[in-house]
């Protein structure tokens, strides 16, 4: 779609730079070394635009620096442009909330400045953002706002582009008459200025509308025109998309063989480009064709291929989210560290300067005292001369004291600067906290929904208390046929390192259970162990990160619970007796100084009402009480056994209240996770 490819050539920023010419980037960096703050803000914005297609982390860093300098120096237009660039960077990073926040701030500033070009540019960016999120009403509103501000005599291509964008919104909303009117206006302009890409996308959208209206012949004609223009423009991505549209036209026309041939052409081109998304769409289209041809075996093959690619795309998206989170966190940390280093250097230089002045003053005072003593020694010889010299020296001492007082006032100024710098540091800490809260939203989204768990296990509770904003402990749940799988894991460390490992753990379990269909708890642990060793390259280096895991699989058909653990235990209570099953003494990852073959599976027959508890060690390791000791495992078992007959929600409340009373004012030492459930005979 054309709106993905445009950089709004008719408005744009005045800060243009070819990202393909790295020597120009180097030139800008040299200019920044000696430039004033206001000039640096402009240079940093140029660098952000340049790096947007080279290194997204560099683009984010320079955009943030440009915004900071623009705000400090009250450069309102540069501030608006910096917000606009940050909005586009956040959109590339996939953080649509942040992108919307930055773009709306840019729009507000441009409206205050009366900058019509800036308003149109930002409005178009917001239209793209909302279209990506399928919020077509808002997309239409902002595209229309941008169109109304276009000078059609000077920016014909821009006017046609906005007509195309709005026409495509009308197309997906099913408002075909309005869409066709705007698309025909766009065609007239694109023909005049010989814009091949614009012609291709316009004919393509017209073909989509005509397919929806069952006008197959004209849809075929317009789709062929679009493909011809894409070929002339050497736009392979457009060719893939509209070959699939042509295949759909053939399919709806009953021309199954032609539909099959063109879909295979699209698939091969997508493979050459390594475009996973379009490969998946091609497989989906081929599966649809074969179903219509009643060749169900071939349809199944392509459906399966599409599912594998969808899993790959989701995995790549997850990795991209993790990488984007790292970019934002490390960039903010880099900016903060440089600010702190600058503050520290300035303070040291001022302290050295003040110390030199004080030392000189003391030296002068000592010299004055020596001279004064000398004149006293000569007093009996030349009293008149001494008195005259004493008056001179007294005046000098008075002046020196005034200088020392002035230096003392200077030290007070330094103290005031320290207070201001501390306020700056607090602001940077807030920025890092905001990044961590964003990471928490990603991690929380990965956890299973409570409603899904309760549907399979009506009697359950989950006590989940991260030590920091993000957690190294996580839980995972899935029901596959007659099997219900419950996983509790404790990753190496807590906070950000543990959170990264927990994301890896979620992805491994999704792949092992959902894709490879491994549902035996000991086999799941073995597969996780080998995957972590491979992913973290632990056979090649000294990395020993990993996780401790406990898994219960409830076989509803056989009415048994299977358990396996890696350095984790299971507590279960049957017939009013508490039992503990210890997992194997091995971690999910590389074990030092020992070779571990396989994990042990334990089976528990559910012959009466039974309670099961999976847990990490955070609860037992919490310090507190009158002697500030750990809670300990024995106390934990007593607490569980004492309350096991109560409702699961009541048990969770008792665990929380007991922990709060025990902990008191002490800091939480580790992430805490307890998963309890009851099975009825």
């Amino acid at each position: 779609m054309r709106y993905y490819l445009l950089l709004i050539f008719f408005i744009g920023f005045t800060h243009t730079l070819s990202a393909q010419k790295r020597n120009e980037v180097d030139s800008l960096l040299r200019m920044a070394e000696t430039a004033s703050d206001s000039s640096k803000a402009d240079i940093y914005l140029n660098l952000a635009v340049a790096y947007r297609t080279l290194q997204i982390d560099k683009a984010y860093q320079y955009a943030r620096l440009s915004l900071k300098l623009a705000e400090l120096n009250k450069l309102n237009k540069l501030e608006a442009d910096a917000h606009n660039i940050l909005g586009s960077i956040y959109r590339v990073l996939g953080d649509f909330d942040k992108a919307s926040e930055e773009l709306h701030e840019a729009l507000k500033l441009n409206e205050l400045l009366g900058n019509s070009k800036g308003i149109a540019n930002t409005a178009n960016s917001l239209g793209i953002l909302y279209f990506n999120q399928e919020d077509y009403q808002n997309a239409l509103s902002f595209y229309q706002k941008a169109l109304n501000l276009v000078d059609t005599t000077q920016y014909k291509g821009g006017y046609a582009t906005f007509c195309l964008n709005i026409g495509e919104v009308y197309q997906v909303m099913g408002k075909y008459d309005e869409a066709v009117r705007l698309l025909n206006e766009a065609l007239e302009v694109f023909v005049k200025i010989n814009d091949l890409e614009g012609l291709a996308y316009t004919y393509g959208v017209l073909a989509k509308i005509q397919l929806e209206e069952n006008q197959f012949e004209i849809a075929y004609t317009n789709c062929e025109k679009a493909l011809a223009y894409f070929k002339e423009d050497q736009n392979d991505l457009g060719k893939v998309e509209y070959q699939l549209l042509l295949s759909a036209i053939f399919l709806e026309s009953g021309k199954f063989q032609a539909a099959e041939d063109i879909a295979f052409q699209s698939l091969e081109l997508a493979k050459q480009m390594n475009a996973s998304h379009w490969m998946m769409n091609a497989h989906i289209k081929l599966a649809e064709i074969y179903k219509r041809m009643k060749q169900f075996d071939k349809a199944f093959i392509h459906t399966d291929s599409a599912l594998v690619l969808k899993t790959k795309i989701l995995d790549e998206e997850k990795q991209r989210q993790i990488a984007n989170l790292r970019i934002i966190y490390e960039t903010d940390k880099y900016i903060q560290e440089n600010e702190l280093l600058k503050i520290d250097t300035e303070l040291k230089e001022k302290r050295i300067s003040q110390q030199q002045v004080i030392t000189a003053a003391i030296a002068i005072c000592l010299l004055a005292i020596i001279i004064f003593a000398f004149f006293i020694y000569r007093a009996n010889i030349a009293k008149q001369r001494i008195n005259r010299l004493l008056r001179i020296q007294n005046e000098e001492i008075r002046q020196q004291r005034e200088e020392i007082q002035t230096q003392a006032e200077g030290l007070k100024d330094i103290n005031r600067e320290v207070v201001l710098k501390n306020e700056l540091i607090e602001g940077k800490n807030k920025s890092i906290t905001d990044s961590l809260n964003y990471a928490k939203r990603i991690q929380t989204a990965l956890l299973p929904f409570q409603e899904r768990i309760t549907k399979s296990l009506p009697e359950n509770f989950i006590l989940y208390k991260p030590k920091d904003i993000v957690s190294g402990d996580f839980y995972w749940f899935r029901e596959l046929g007659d099997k219900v799988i419950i996983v509790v894991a404790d990753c190496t460390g807590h906070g950000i390192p543990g959170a990264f490992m927990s994301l890896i753990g979620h992805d491994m379990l999704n792949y092992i259970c959902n894709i490879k269909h491994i549902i035996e708890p000991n086999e799941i642990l073995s597969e996780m162990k080998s995957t972590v060793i491979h992913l973290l390259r632990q056979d090649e280096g000294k990395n020993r990160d990993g996780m401790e895991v406990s898994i219960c699989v409830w076989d509803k058909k056989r009415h048994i619970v299977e358990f396996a653990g890696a350095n984790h235990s299971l507590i279960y209570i049957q017939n009013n007796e508490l039992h503990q099953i210890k997992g194997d003494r091995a971690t999910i990852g590389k074990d030092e100084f020992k070779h571990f073959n396989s994990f042990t599976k334990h089976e528990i027959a559910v012959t009466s009402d039974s309670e099961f508890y999976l847990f990490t060690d955070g609860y037992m390791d919490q310090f507190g009480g009158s002697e500030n000791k750990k809670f300990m495992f024995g106390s934990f078992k007593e607490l569980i056994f004492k309350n096991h007959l109560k409702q699961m929600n009541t048990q969770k409340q008792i665990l929380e209240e007991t922990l709060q009373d025990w902990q008191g004012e002490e800091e939480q030492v580790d992430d805490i996770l307890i998963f309890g459930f009851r099975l009825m005979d």
Side-chain angles (χ1 to χ4, degrees):
M1 299 180 184
R2 179 176 174 82
Y3 59 82
Y4 283 122
L5 309 176
L6 287 175
L7 293 176
I8 314 305
F9 62 90
F10 64 94
I11 296 177
F13 290 107
T14 56
H15 323 286
T16 56
L17 177 67
S18 173
Q20 303 299 322
K21 299 181 180 180
R22 297 302 295 266
N23 59 328
E24 293 187 29
V25 172
D26 295 336
S27 175
L28 284 170
L29 288 170
R30 287 193 296 271
M31 290 170 58
E33 292 177 359
T34 56
S36 64
D37 280 356
S38 57
S39 298
K40 277 185 181 178
D42 188 65
I43 292 170
Y44 287 153
L45 196 61
N46 284 329
L47 287 165
V49 175
Y51 274 114
R52 186 165 48 180
T53 53
L54 292 171
Q55 288 177 262
I56 195 67
D57 55 338
K58 289 281 189 182
Y60 177 74
Q61 175 184 333
Y62 284 117
R64 284 286 309 278
L65 289 171
S66 176
L67 177 61
K68 178 176 178 297
L69 289 173
E71 290 173 341
L72 287 174
N73 292 277
K74 301 188 184 321
L75 306 172
N76 296 329
K77 186 178 183 304
L78 271 174
E79 186 179 345
D81 292 347
H83 280 300
N84 206 338
I85 287 294
L86 278 169
S88 68
I89 291 170
Y90 276 122
R91 181 166 60 85
V92 172
L93 292 174
D95 190 340
F96 294 142
D97 289 341
K98 282 283 190 181
S100 176
E101 180 182 325
E102 294 291 342
L103 290 173
H104 277 289
E105 185 64 25
L107 184 64
K108 180 177 72 175
L109 288 170
N110 280 314
E111 288 174 341
L112 288 173
L113 293 168
N115 181 6
S116 59
K117 292 182 179 180
I119 295 169
N121 187 36
T122 307
N124 182 71
S125 297
L126 282 163
I128 294 172
L129 180 67
Y130 285 118
F131 194 99
N132 288 343
Q133 299 177 82
E134 300 182 2
D135 185 350
Y136 302 124
Q137 199 59 52
N138 270 324
L140 182 63
S141 174
F142 282 105
Y143 278 146
Q144 192 66 55
K145 184 183 184 75
L147 182 66
N148 293 338
L149 293 170
V150 174
D151 182 349
T152 56
T153 60
Q154 187 174 359
Y155 303 115
K156 295 180 180 179
Y159 173 79
T161 297
F162 284 154
C163 286
L164 169 57
N165 286 351
I166 297 172
E168 184 147 30
V169 175
Y170 280 137
Q171 179 255 318
V172 297
M173 294 174 70
K175 298 181 179 181
Y176 298 140
D177 292 340
E178 294 94 328
V180 170
R181 177 180 59 80
L182 286 165
L183 292 169
N184 284 330
E185 286 188 39
L187 272 181
E188 291 181 10
V189 177
F190 286 142
V191 168
K192 290 179 183 178
I193 64 176
N194 195 31
D195 185 335
L196 301 180
E197 186 182 58
L199 288 166
Y201 279 109
T202 307
Y203 277 118
V205 178
L206 283 169
K208 291 179 182 179
I209 294 172
Q210 288 142 6
L211 173 60
E212 291 292 329
E213 295 180 331
N214 296 324
Q215 300 177 21
F216 300 130
E217 290 187 7
I218 190 169
Y220 168 79
T221 301
N222 283 330
C223 193
E224 284 285 3
K225 288 180 181 179
L227 285 169
Y229 283 120
F230 280 129
K231 183 176 180 181
E232 186 176 353
D233 196 44
Q234 298 181 343
N235 186 336
D236 288 339
L237 196 61
K239 285 174 62 179
V240 170
E241 179 181 355
Y242 285 95
Q243 280 176 340
L244 287 177
L245 178 62
L246 186 58
S247 176
I249 295 169
F250 283 137
L251 180 60
E252 296 303 321
S253 304
K255 300 175 181 178
F256 297 147
Q257 188 60 52
E260 179 186 5
D261 292 342
I262 196 70
F264 268 114
Q265 290 180 30
S266 178
L267 176 60
E268 288 303 315
L269 184 55
K271 286 180 179 178
Q272 293 173 19
M273 299 167 62
N274 196 28
S276 299
H277 176 77
W278 290 110
M279 288 163 61
M280 179 186 71
N281 287 345
H283 280 298
I284 292 172
K285 180 57 67 179
L286 284 164
E288 181 183 357
I289 292 167
Y290 286 126
K291 285 179 184 177
R292 296 277 286 274
M293 296 170 70
K294 300 190 183 304
Q295 297 182 21
F296 298 112
D297 53 342
K298 292 184 179 180
F300 175 78
I301 291 171
H302 287 285
T303 299
D304 187 62
S305 297
L307 179 61
V308 171
L309 282 167
K310 183 178 180 180
T311 301
K312 177 185 175 185
I313 292 167
L314 290 173
D315 183 63
E316 289 173 350
E317 176 63 21
K318 192 67 60 59
Q319 295 302 321
R320 187 172 73 87
Q321 288 179 350
I322 294 172
N324 292 345
L325 176 62
R326 191 191 298 274
I327 286 171
I328 293 171
Y329 170 73
E330 292 183 351
T331 300
D332 288 345
K333 181 180 177 183
Y334 167 80
I335 293 173
Q336 183 190 22
E337 287 176 348
N338 276 272
E339 284 296 322
L340 293 176
L341 181 61
K342 181 180 178 182
I343 292 168
D344 187 58
T345 302
E346 291 175 353
L347 290 176
K348 285 181 179 178
E349 289 176 351
K350 289 193 175 183
R351 287 194 188 102
I352 291 170
S353 176
Q354 294 294 331
Q355 189 62 45
Q356 289 174 342
V357 171
I358 292 171
T359 302
I362 292 172
I364 292 171
C365 287
L366 289 173
L367 179 61
I369 291 170
I370 292 170
I371 295 171
F372 182 70
F374 173 76
F375 279 107
I376 289 177
Y377 176 75
R378 298 284 304 271
N380 292 328
I381 301 172
K383 185 176 181 181
Q384 292 299 323
R385 182 183 175 191
I386 291 297
N387 287 335
R388 185 173 63 253
L389 290 174
L390 281 174
R391 286 194 297 272
I392 295 172
Q393 295 304 321
N394 285 334
E395 180 62 21
E396 289 178 353
I397 291 171
R398 184 187 63 78
Q399 292 176 357
Q400 289 161 5
R401 286 177 178 171
E402 290 177 354
E403 290 177 0
I404 292 172
Q405 290 175 351
T406 301
Q407 298 305 322
E409 291 295 325
L411 289 174
K412 291 181 181 178
D413 292 338
I414 291 176
N415 287 333
R416 283 193 292 270
E417 289 186 28
V418 170
V419 171
L420 291 174
K421 300 302 183 182
N422 285 336
E423 292 175 355
L424 178 61
I425 292 170
E426 290 176 2
K428 296 301 176 182
N429 286 337
K430 181 180 181 302
S431 177
I432 291 176
T433 302
D434 289 343
S435 295
L436 287 173
N437 284 326
Y438 171 69
K440 180 182 179 181
R441 292 201 302 272
I442 294 176
Q443 188 177 43
T444 303
L446 293 175
L447 294 175
F449 293 113
Q450 181 64 49
E451 293 83 1
R452 184 181 299 172
I453 297 173
T454 303
K455 183 178 179 182
S456 299
L457 297 172
E459 284 287 317
N460 77 86
F461 74 82
I462 301 170
L463 177 57
Y464 184 53
K465 293 175 66 65
K467 177 186 182 299
D468 301 309
I469 296 174
V470 291
S471 174
D473 287 4
F474 73 93
Y475 57 95
W476 188 88
F477 179 91
R478 189 74 77 246
E479 182 170 0
L480 299 172
D482 293 323
K483 303 287 184 75
V484 176
I485 306 170
I486 306 108
V487 180
V488 165
D490 183 355
C491 299
T492 300
H494 44 73
I496 290 178
F500 277 126
M501 283 300 298
S502 74
L503 293 176
I504 294 172
H506 274 282
D507 283 347
M508 284 194 300
L509 288 164
N510 285 332
Y511 181 76
I512 292 167
C513 298
N514 296 339
I515 305 302
K516 299 188 75 173
H517 304 295
I518 297 173
I519 56 176
E520 296 294 327
N522 55 322
E523 294 178 8
I524 295 172
L525 290 177
S526 296
E527 191 72 18
M528 289 178 73
K529 184 177 181 71
S530 60
T531 302
V532 168
I533 292 171
H534 172 71
L535 284 177
L536 301 184
R537 301 180 180 177
Q538 293 182 338
D539 284 329
E540 304 170 13
K542 296 182 179 180
N543 183 304
R544 291 298 178 265
D545 291 338
M547 58 190 76
E548 298 174 345
V549 181
S550 52
I551 302 177
C552 276
V553 178
W554 176 30
D555 190 332
K556 294 190 287 186
K557 189 173 182 181
R558 295 169 57 203
H559 216 46
I560 65 170
V561 172
E562 300 171 336
F563 168 75
N567 272 346
H568 266 192
S569 299
L570 166 70
I571 291 176
Y572 73 96
I573 302 173
Q574 270 185 354
N575 300 319
N576 208 34
E577 291 184 3
L578 184 145
H579 306 271
Q580 177 187 352
I581 300 178
K582 294 183 178 180
D584 296 288
R585 295 180 63 81
T587 63
I588 300 304
K590 186 77 171 178
D591 290 300
E592 286 286 0
F593 310 118
K594 66 177 178 180
H595 180 70
F596 186 80
N597 292 322
S598 60
F599 290 90
T600 306
K601 181 174 73 173
H602 306 269
E603 290 188 355
I604 305 159
V606 183
T607 57
S608 61
D609 293 354
S610 306
E611 294 79 28
F612 296 83
Y613 303 89
L614 299 174
F615 47 87
T616 62
D617 56 7
Y619 197 102
M620 287 71 78
D621 288 345
Q622 180 59 47
F623 284 90
S626 59
E627 297 180 0
N628 195 25
K629 293 182 178 180
K630 289 185 178 181
F631 190 85
M632 303 303 289
F633 187 63
S635 301
F636 177 69
K637 288 197 293 184
E638 289 178 9
L639 183 62
I640 290 291
F641 183 75
K642 180 180 177 182
N643 298 285
H644 75 278
L645 294 177
K646 297 177 181 178
Q647 293 291 327
M648 282 293 169
N649 285 336
T650 304
Q651 291 187 45
K652 177 183 178 182
Q653 183 178 354
I654 291 170
L655 284 166
E656 288 181 319
E657 290 174 354
T658 303
L659 178 67
Q660 184 177 356
D661 291 342
W662 177 261
Q663 183 177 343
E665 299 297 322
E666 293 296 322
E667 181 182 0
Q668 184 174 333
V669 299
D670 198 1
D671 302 315
I672 294 172
L673 173 58
I674 304 172
F675 194 124
F677 61 96
R678 175 179 289 131
L679 298 179
M680 312 298 286
D681 179 28

